[in-house]
Structure formats: structure tokens, C-alpha cells
Amino acid sequence: MKRYAEAQIGLGKHELACPAMDGCSATFSHKQRQKFLDDGLTKAIDRLETEAVLNIANVADLTTCPFCPYAAEYPEIVKGGDTDFYCQRPGCLEVSCRLCKRVSHQPKTCQGATKDKGKSARKNIEEAMSDAMIRKCNKCTYASYRVKIFRL
């Protein structure tokens, strides 16, 4: 049953129906699921169920935290308005961008934050390549370039 639940979660389903092949449509209650699911699987199914219920409720201007299951009503984003989402769930309390669903990057735009993130990744790669090519003396920190000799 645990593997069956993992497969259902992987498919994005929160209802655990009877796995019998004879067409049984019975489902497991929350109390019954507790007997064979661990805490991680229970949380995953609960989150999927919460998302499904919120989608069915069709609440206007409902925004969810990208880092936890917390949801709240926020007004529509207007040009030049606040795009931040302030999670109120204890243990999360993350401030995220409602447009790109990442950690808040105010006052930068989503595109500006993405460009800056790309630069830092590029810089890290360049530094790693430099470290691989430059040898430093442990005593005096004199740097000399590593020369690779290839033998044919």
C-alpha cells in the first residue's frame, strides 16, 4: 500500500482508492491511511488534497506560497504594485514573488534577478576553472600557472 500511495502521489492524485482489480471504487479515510503511511507521505497527500479543494472552491485572487501549502487572498497585481507574497505559516514565513514563484527579489524585476543569478553562476564556474589552472604555494601563496604536458 505504501508503494501504491507513492505512485498515486507521483501522479498528483490524493485519493487512495482500493487497489483491487475487480472495479472496487472504495477509498481509504484519513484515519485508515495513517495506519500504513509515514509522515512524509501523509503530508504529501494532504498537500495534494488541499490544492484540489482550493481549486474546486475557485476562490478569487487566491495565491499560494511556493514553499509550503499556505494560501491567502491577495489583490490582482497592478503595474508598479507590490508583487510580494508574505507567507504567514509558522515555520515558513517566506517572502516570495507572486510572478516568478521564487524568493522575493525586490526592488529588481524577475528578469533582472534571473540575469544576476546567471552572472553569479557564471562567476562561480570561472573561479573554479581558475582554481584548477593556478597552483598556489602553501607557504608564501605565490601563484604559478599549471602547465599540462600531453604525451603522444
Side-chain angles (χ1 to χ4, degrees):
M1 285 307 296
K2 187 174 179 180
R3 287 187 186 148
Y4 170 68
E6 289 171 349
Q8 292 297 96
I9 292 169
L11 295 171
K13 297 180 180 179
H14 63 88
E15 293 179 349
L16 296 180
C18 176
M21 301 304 277
D22 62 358
C24 179
S25 61
T27 59
F28 293 95
S29 69
H30 193 311
K31 189 174 182 178
Q32 291 171 330
R33 288 187 290 190
Q34 298 291 352
K35 293 179 181 178
F36 59 87
L37 296 180
D38 59 18
D39 287 339
L41 290 174
T42 301
K43 286 179 184 177
I45 285 181
D46 289 345
R47 182 172 182 151
L48 289 171
E49 187 172 12
T50 302
E51 290 173 3
V53 169
L54 289 173
N55 285 337
I56 291 169
N58 199 17
V59 178
D61 300 328
L62 185 72
T63 306
T64 59
C65 176
F67 307 107
C68 74
Y70 180 80
E73 287 184 78
Y74 269 77
E76 200 172 306
I77 299 171
V78 294
K79 189 171 183 175
D82 188 19
T83 60
D84 284 346
F85 177 82
Y86 300 91
C87 182
Q88 299 298 315
R89 181 174 179 243
C92 181
L93 301 175
E94 194 70 50
V95 179
S96 59
C97 176
R98 291 191 283 162
L99 299 173
C100 65
K101 304 288 186 202
R102 288 183 275 162
V103 175
S104 178
H105 45 72
Q106 291 295 337
K108 296 179 183 178
T109 63
C110 297
Q111 292 173 344
T114 302
K115 285 180 185 176
D116 288 349
K117 188 176 181 182
K119 286 181 185 175
S120 64
R122 180 178 159 202
K123 184 178 178 183
N124 290 341
I125 292 170
E126 288 174 352
E127 287 178 359
M129 290 174 66
S130 293
D131 289 342
M133 295 299 292
I134 299 172
R135 275 194 185 157
K136 293 181 181 176
C137 175
N138 291 332
K139 188 173 184 181
C140 67
T141 66
Y142 173 78
S144 65
Y145 290 96
R146 199 180 280 183
V147 179
K148 293 185 179 182
I149 300 173
F150 296 99
R151 295 185 185 186
L152 301 174

